[in-house]
Amino acid sequence: MKLATYQINHAAPRLGVVQNNHMIDLEDVAQIKKESLPKTMLDLIDMGLIEVTRIQGIINSLTSEELSNCSYPLSNVTFLAPIPKPRKNIIGIGLNYTEHVAESARTLDTTGKLPQKPIIFSKPPTSVTATNTNILLNSKLTQQLDWEVELAVIIGKGGKYIAKENALNHVFGYTVINDISARDCRREGQWIVSKGQDTFAPMGPVLVTADEIENPHNLNLSLKLNGVEKQNSNTKFLLFNINDLIEDLSTVFTLEPGDIIATGTPAGVGAGRNPQEWMWDGDVVEATVEGIGTITNTVKEIVR
């Protein structure tokens, strides 16, 4: 199921299902069928994939007239981030594709050695934004605004000390994240100032439930800047795959429903290019993951 948080005419956010180029509004479905349904993505994640199955059954039972009364053309809706306000920081994974390790060593303060354990950082909830919104550039803070397309994993069933063999059973679904980075804002090896500025985590456009992604370790991911392809790879090249990450992270701290793991980016970032490339006011960046979709954002200079 493709799930979305969306708005119509700037009204309050609503939870919907994307189907046949329409948004099926779950609050409307609940009223029509006299059912109790979750109103937010986090509520649905808390209820688990069994609730997704129930919702699909209810949608399948709608008559054509009922379906028309709770559906809106996608052209009439505004997509928000699937989880507009995460409960916790997004968990980021650094240097998780071999070629990205190499390109980072050429231009950043990394060693070039393959990590022996996942490199973990975080991005605050305030960094989250949606597709078709602005990425805010404060040029007094950074002159090195960079891009990173990533597959994001949404935890459904929480846990501690999760064995890698069982890890995918804890996944609710997947989405796209562009891990925006201000390369000149790293502080003595700490990344949160570089990674955690407002709007530095565009996410979406939808959350695809785990049952629809046959193999999350074989998804193409790519990124374009002003229509020119900059990144193109596949999740099969992850250094630490999703099973590894969930096992390692759950050893460090308890994973909870709604937690978001950004799994890392492949080669092709601006910092790794010769000459280096950065994003500036007016640039348009598109991040795509196979089976999920594309998020598009425009860089906007803010004056301070």
Side-chain angles (χ1 to χ4, degrees):
M1 182 178 285
K2 290 182 171 63
L3 299 162
T5 303
Y6 78 101
Q7 290 175 311
I8 294 181
N9 297 326
H10 305 288
R14 299 173 75 91
L15 181 62
V17 175
V18 177
Q19 190 170 291
N20 298 324
N21 291 316
H22 281 72
M23 185 74 72
I24 302 172
D25 184 86
L26 290 189
E27 189 170 341
D28 289 348
V29 172
Q31 291 177 352
I32 290 170
K33 303 302 282 188
K34 294 181 171 53
E35 295 276 358
S36 177
L37 294 177
K39 293 186 177 181
T40 72
M41 191 71 75
L42 286 172
D43 288 343
L44 176 51
I45 292 169
D46 287 341
M47 298 171 79
L49 289 172
I50 190 170
E51 179 68 3
V52 172
T53 301
R54 186 176 80 94
I55 290 169
Q56 188 62 67
I58 293 171
I59 290 173
N60 292 343
S61 74
L62 292 167
T63 66
S64 296
E65 182 179 357
E66 288 172 336
L67 188 59
S68 67
N69 288 333
C70 61
S71 300
Y72 306 91
L74 294 184
S75 58
N76 292 350
V77 310
T78 298
F79 283 88
L80 305 179
I83 305 175
K85 294 182 179 180
R87 293 171 176 142
K88 295 156 60 177
N89 282 16
I90 295 168
I91 303 163
I93 306 297
L95 304 176
N96 203 26
Y97 286 80
T98 302
E99 292 181 357
H100 182 51
V101 174
E103 72 175 359
S104 295
R106 290 194 298 269
T107 55
L108 299 172
D109 57 349
T110 57
T111 66
K113 296 179 181 178
L114 293 181
Q116 299 304 299
K117 295 278 189 181
I119 296 173
I120 305 168
F121 62 93
S122 73
K123 299 170 79 81
T126 46
S127 66
V128 172
T129 191
T131 188
N132 298 318
T133 63
N134 292 330
I135 297 167
L136 301 180
L137 166 62
N138 183 345
S139 57
K140 291 184 178 180
L141 279 178
T142 179
Q143 295 284 307
Q144 297 183 355
L145 192 67
D146 208 345
W147 58 82
E148 293 190 5
V149 61
E150 307 196 7
L151 172 68
V153 176
I154 313 300
I155 295 296
K157 178 184 176 184
K160 180 75 170 172
Y161 304 117
I162 300 168
K164 67 174 63 179
E165 309 87 65
N166 302 322
L168 293 185
N169 295 330
H170 290 257
V171 175
F172 182 84
Y174 304 91
T175 191
V176 184
I177 277 186
N178 190 348
D179 176 18
I180 303 300
S181 306
R183 302 296 185 189
D184 48 357
C185 289
R186 294 153 68 107
R187 296 182 180 178
E188 299 296 329
Q190 294 181 358
W191 294 6
I192 195 164
V193 178
S194 168
K195 302 280 195 175
Q197 296 178 37
D198 291 356
T199 72
F200 274 25
M203 185 192 311
V206 296
L207 187 162
V208 179
T209 53
D211 57 297
E212 287 208 8
I213 302 293
E214 182 177 353
N215 182 4
H217 297 122
N218 188 20
L219 297 175
N220 293 324
L221 65 169
S222 60
L223 182 140
K224 293 180 181 179
L225 182 66
N226 299 324
V228 178
E229 188 172 87
K230 299 297 181 181
Q231 292 182 281
N232 192 325
S233 190
N234 189 287
T235 56
K236 66 185 177 183
F237 299 117
L238 282 165
L239 180 59
F240 300 103
N241 68 23
I242 296 164
N243 302 66
D244 298 326
L245 295 176
I246 290 176
E247 180 179 67
D248 183 73
L249 291 168
S250 69
T251 300
V252 178
F253 44 74
T254 300
L255 291 175
E256 297 180 317
D259 282 354
I260 302 166
I261 305 169
T263 57
T265 199
V269 301
R273 295 180 169 272
N274 186 16
Q276 292 179 324
E277 298 180 26
W278 312 114
M279 296 190 294
W280 301 101
D281 185 60
D283 284 347
V284 177
V285 59
E286 303 167 83
T288 302
V289 176
E290 179 185 1
I292 301 172
T294 298
I295 50 175
T296 302
N297 298 91
T298 301
V299 177
K300 177 70 173 178
E301 172 80 31
I302 56 174
V303 179
R304 288 290 183 269

